Amino acid sequence: MLFAFIGRFITLCARHAWAVVALFLVLSGASVYAGMTSLGVTTDTSKMLSPRLEWKQRSDEMGRLFPQKENLLVAVIEADLPEEGAETARVLAEKLSADHKHFAFARRPDADPYLMRNGLMFLDVKPLTSILDDTIAAQPFLAALAQDPSARGLFGALSLIAEGIKQGQANLTGFQAPLSGFANTLEQAAAGKADPLSWQRLLGGQLTDLEGRYQFVVTKPNLDFGSFQPGGEASDAMRAAINSLEFVRNGHARVKMTGDVQLNDEEFATVAEGMVAGLVGSLALVTLWLTLAVRSWRVVVPIVITLVVGLLLTTGFAAVAVGTLNLISVAFAILFVGIAVDFAIQFSVRFRAQNPSEPGVQGMFEALRMTGEETGHQILVAALATSAGFLAFTPTAFLGVAQLGLIAGVGMMVAFVCTTTLLPALLRICRPPLNCPSMGYTFMRPVDQAIRRFRKVLLAVFAVVAVVGLALVPRLQFDGDPLHTKNPNSEGMRALRLLIDNPQTSPYSAELLTTSLDDAHKQADRLAELPQVHDAMWLGSFVPTDQDQKLPLIQDAASMLLPTLMVGQTKPAPDAEALRASAAETAKALAGVLDSLPAQDPLRRIQSALLKLSQAPDAAVLAANQALVRFLPAELDQLRTMLQATPVKISDIPHDIADDYLLPDGRALVEVHPKGLMTSSGALHQFVSAVQRLEPDIAGPAVDIVESANSIVRAFEQAAVAAVVMIAVILLLALRRVKDMGLVLAPLMLSALMTVVLVVLLPETLNFANIIALPLLLGVGVSFNIYFVMNWRDGVHFPLASPTARAVLFSALTTGTAFGSLAMSHHPGTASMGRLLLLSLGCTLVSTLVFVPALLPKRKSDEF
């Protein structure tokens, strides 16, 4: 008979205790070696779903065809002045391009010469006309600066303005903002606090606003996949380069790093953050609970050793069977400890409660045999049912949980083997005292009686809870956005938040691969008409529209401006004395027109600052010169370049841009950007549904997020049904009665529905990290329920007063302690996993300790 066989086998292991310990020591050493040499961890969330899924195949194909868009490390630069940002980006790109050890390439997508040359042509006709008119009006001013790009030339240009005012020919209405900005800089320079002047803002006007606040350096880092943070060395190299930049050091520019590489590396760092401290604290509390549960260090030590050995063996299996863990399967250790400790506590608590007829060693063997006969088959059934529940997830498309199911499923059988072999051997060696009847809670007998007396009321209450849970199931929300499980305070996420508001830089885009450029044009036009779409970019989007209207306007302006801007030889740089003389002369010229200026006119402030500067020491004057005109030559060069625009067509687009939208075989990409913020699941689903209705084969990050959520939900639906069926079959074979099988499954379903109620009411959004609470709920729930039902079959009259209840309670406390350490993680995904696991554990405990005693049918021998 199975009962007797398990009892004899446990006694055999105890009689050969040292041989058993030696065997497990060898197996543990082999497992440690396998784990150290063959087990890795990936933080890539894209690897958690099966490549067999159609949408995943399209996504992977996009990554293969456009590898330059994958695994990027991006520097996002924000500066006080546009020129400071551009200079910071330029120098950074140069430094990183020269670092071939860490980077395959580094480029500035927003500073391509093609885009810079055609900057004016990308404007609409109306703003283009306004900008050109303002530039033509400033022609005398610009001509003077082109001849002498120094503060002397600038002061001379201001003298021309004074002369124009004197003759009544200067209309400065449209130049108040530029003059006010110049006045601010000049006043600071005169006060000895010379900060650079933004000529781009002075001359560019609306064009500057259209360029946006941020500059970008996009890099392709060389990744070290043998490291837990593959981009760590490249990130360090970029950070070192950033810290060496002039405007970063003086605080005028701020640079944050983001991109897939940065986010994935931060993901692992955040998951690992505080893990050691949390693990130590968790182990300390677990040891405390074990001590309170079994009341002897001679039992606590064998349990802890058994758990550690079982975890090492399971890790060794993971190294051989899986090789690389993901962010979900890495939690197998928590699941193993959470359930395996239950097996060990059940065995140990009942072992200590035995009252053998013989003293000494023979009494120890007798107690172990009796414990094996009493609990061995219960633990076996619990292990088989729990293992089946986990293994049901293995065939699903959700590889993250499939891996977890495989490892944890095998781990349950490892835990059973360790509990029935190594634990008895260690108990034999440690020799704890026996005959401890206080292992049960005799004071709980009145509670048992009260539950039986009011069982109908309790069952009615639980029935209402179950109905409410069923009604709330449709309201469960699954958030498949991996960004929502990352630490929002990390550098990568803070940088990404700066970009989400802009549709052009938002990570939530969709991509369509078309057969040709003509097809791309047609599909882009169709997709752009959708109300959920901001724009649809294709290669032709980089060819300015309405060139026949814009080019004549630019050419007319060029005919008036270029002759005065194209200077063969500029004047030599002035010394401090020449600068002071020029400042004094201009101050005198402006003083002659002050009476005709409004009280708040910026020229009044300029005249006062010039007068002060004309008396400043050499260092201050030269610093003022540097601040005023540092960025002037580059801005004049850019103006000359844009005024020489010529007709362009698709073939003129450079390869750096074209390669992102056109393949060598002629296929072309359309990139669709959403309208509005996509930070909520509802908005993202609406956008994806809209584009999928028009183009079912569309791919891209937004589609990946929505489809991954759908795939995960389907995988859990399939796995949950399979798990329940497999558990039911095992219970039916073990218990041999449909009624007893139902007594185990009913509280399992109730605890699931109670969890649904809490998740919806709190609320707690489901995501790909915390959804593993479902297989754990099955595992822990099945174990707890089996013990109570099988005790009832064996004639136990007071379930809450029995040693089983004590073991269940402390099993829950030890498991809850492990989950609590997860809930305190700085990583939102891990923290949500811990919270949901605690919720499901609490519901399971209530269901086992209250619902099961009320549900168990009354027997003739009951004393209630």
Side-chain angles (χ1 to χ4, degrees), residues 402-726:
Q403 278 189 7
L404 179 68
L406 176 63
I407 299 170
V410 172
M412 293 303 96
M413 301 315 301
V414 170
F416 170 74
V417 171
C418 290
T419 302
T420 54
T421 54
L422 180 60
L423 182 58
L426 293 170
L427 289 171
R428 160 70 179 83
I429 294 171
C430 292
R431 296 184 180 183
L434 299 175
N435 190 18
C436 190
S438 60
M439 285 291 106
Y441 291 132
T442 55
F443 64 87
M444 290 298 290
R445 285 196 176 193
V447 179
D448 274 318
Q449 293 171 338
I451 289 176
R452 299 300 292 178
R453 188 177 303 114
F454 299 104
R455 64 188 299 262
K456 292 183 178 179
V457 175
L458 288 172
L459 292 176
V461 170
F462 282 117
V464 172
V465 172
V467 171
V468 172
L470 280 172
L472 292 178
V473 166
R475 294 182 58 182
L476 287 176
Q477 294 183 349
F478 185 85
D479 184 0
D481 191 343
L483 295 180
H484 293 169
T485 64
K486 299 182 187 296
N487 182 2
N489 297 318
S490 68
E491 179 182 3
M493 283 301 297
R494 284 187 284 117
L496 194 61
R497 280 201 303 272
L498 299 176
L499 311 180
I500 286 178
D501 292 346
N502 184 350
Q504 300 290 338
T505 56
S506 171
Y508 302 104
S509 62
E511 297 172 338
L512 178 66
L513 193 59
T514 62
T515 57
S516 66
L517 281 174
D518 288 340
D519 190 23
H521 190 184
K522 294 175 184 177
Q523 300 295 353
D525 288 344
R526 292 176 63 219
L527 289 164
E529 292 176 358
L530 293 173
Q532 295 85 2
V533 171
H534 178 272
D535 64 80
M537 298 279 293
W538 66 293
L539 187 58
S541 302
F542 293 91
V543 177
T545 58
D546 301 322
Q547 294 187 44
D548 56 339
Q549 299 181 53
K550 298 174 184 176
L551 278 171
L553 295 174
I554 297 173
Q555 290 167 353
D556 287 346
S559 65
M560 289 181 277
L561 293 169
L562 284 180
T564 57
L565 293 178
M566 305 292 282
V567 178
Q569 179 104 22
T570 59
K571 291 183 179 182
D575 57 16
E577 186 58 37
L579 289 170
R580 274 193 292 267
S582 178
E585 183 180 345
T586 303
K588 181 179 179 181
L590 288 173
V593 297
L594 289 180
D595 292 341
S596 59
L597 294 176
Q600 302 301 320
D601 195 291
L603 284 175
R604 290 181 176 273
R605 295 165 51 205
I606 291 173
Q607 191 273 339
S608 176
L610 286 172
L611 190 60
K612 185 175 181 180
L613 193 64
S614 67
Q615 301 170 6
D618 289 0
V621 173
L622 292 174
N625 179 68
Q626 172 71 4
L628 289 170
V629 299
R630 173 172 181 175
F631 298 123
L632 175 60
E635 189 64 23
L636 291 174
D637 286 343
Q638 178 61 26
L639 179 58
R640 296 184 189 104
T641 299
M642 290 192 296
L643 288 173
Q644 297 178 69
T646 58
V648 294
K649 51 187 180 299
I650 285 185
S651 59
D652 297 321
I653 300 174
H655 287 296
D656 282 350
I657 297 175
D659 288 347
D660 286 345
Y661 292 89
L662 184 65
L663 295 172
D665 61 8
R667 286 181 293 172
L669 185 73
V670 178
E671 191 174 77
V672 187
H673 301 119
K675 181 182 294 183
L677 291 177
M678 295 291 106
T679 51
S680 70
S681 296
L684 190 60
H685 276 75
Q686 289 179 8
F687 167 65
V688 171
S689 296
V691 296
Q692 281 182 329
R693 281 194 297 269
L694 204 59
E695 290 294 339
D697 292 336
I698 203 161
V703 177
D704 290 350
I705 292 171
V706 172
E707 290 293 352
S708 64
N710 295 335
S711 298
I712 290 171
V713 170
R714 284 194 298 268
F716 268 85
E717 290 172 348
Q718 296 165 4
V721 172
V724 171
V725 171
M726 292 171 66

Side-chain angles (χ1 to χ4, degrees), residues 154-168:
L154 175 59
F155 299 157
L158 291 172
S159 296
L160 293 178
I161 293 177
E163 184 63 26
I165 294 173
K166 184 182 296 185
Q167 297 180 9

Side-chain angles (χ1 to χ4, degrees), residues 131-151:
I131 287 175
L132 291 176
D133 288 345
D134 290 344
T135 307
I136 292 171
Q139 190 268 344
F141 185 77
L142 294 174
L145 294 176
Q147 292 285 339
D148 185 2
S150 67

Side-chain angles (χ1 to χ4, degrees), residues 841-857:
L841 179 64
C843 293
T844 298
L845 201 59
V846 170
S847 179
T848 300
L849 297 180
V850 182
F851 179 64
V852 171
L855 184 65
L856 294 174

Side-chain angles (χ1 to χ4, degrees), residues 199-367:
W199 285 93
Q200 186 171 331
R201 287 177 179 168
L202 286 178
L203 302 180
Q206 302 172 47
L207 193 59
T208 303
D209 297 333
L210 293 173
E211 290 180 355
R213 296 172 53 193
Y214 307 107
Q215 300 276 343
F216 304 95
V217 176
V218 178
T219 72
K220 181 84 168 179
N222 299 321
L223 303 179
D224 176 14
F225 289 102
S227 169
F228 285 131
Q229 294 178 283
E233 290 190 9
S235 297
D236 290 343
M238 179 180 282
R239 176 58 61 197
I242 289 170
N243 291 336
S244 70
L245 301 176
E246 174 191 354
F247 294 116
V248 172
R249 286 188 282 108
N250 65 22
H252 287 200
R254 295 152 296 281
V255 185
K256 293 184 176 67
M257 296 188 300
T258 187
D260 296 340
V261 172
Q262 179 74 7
L263 293 172
N264 288 338
D265 284 356
E266 287 176 346
E267 182 98 3
F268 181 81
T270 308
V271 170
E273 184 180 355
M275 183 174 289
V276 174
L279 184 59
V280 171
S282 178
L283 287 175
L285 279 175
V286 166
T287 304
L288 173 63
W289 300 136
L290 289 175
T291 302
L292 293 175
V294 297
R295 297 182 179 178
S296 172
W297 69 266
R298 296 178 183 269
V299 181
V300 172
V301 171
I303 290 176
V304 172
I305 294 175
T306 301
L307 287 177
V308 172
V309 170
L311 183 57
L312 291 177
L313 295 179
T314 305
T315 303
F317 168 78
V320 174
V322 174
T324 302
L325 302 174
N326 55 56
L327 286 174
I328 290 182
S329 59
V330 75
F332 81 88
I334 297 294
L335 297 189
F336 178 88
V337 173
I339 300 177
V341 74
D342 170 62
F343 297 167
I345 290 176
Q346 287 290 341
F347 188 93
S348 301
V349 167
R350 298 201 199 181
F351 168 70
R352 290 216 63 204
Q354 299 297 336
N355 185 17
S357 58
E358 298 184 37
V361 175
Q362 293 304 317
M364 177 77 65
F365 292 147
E366 181 184 355

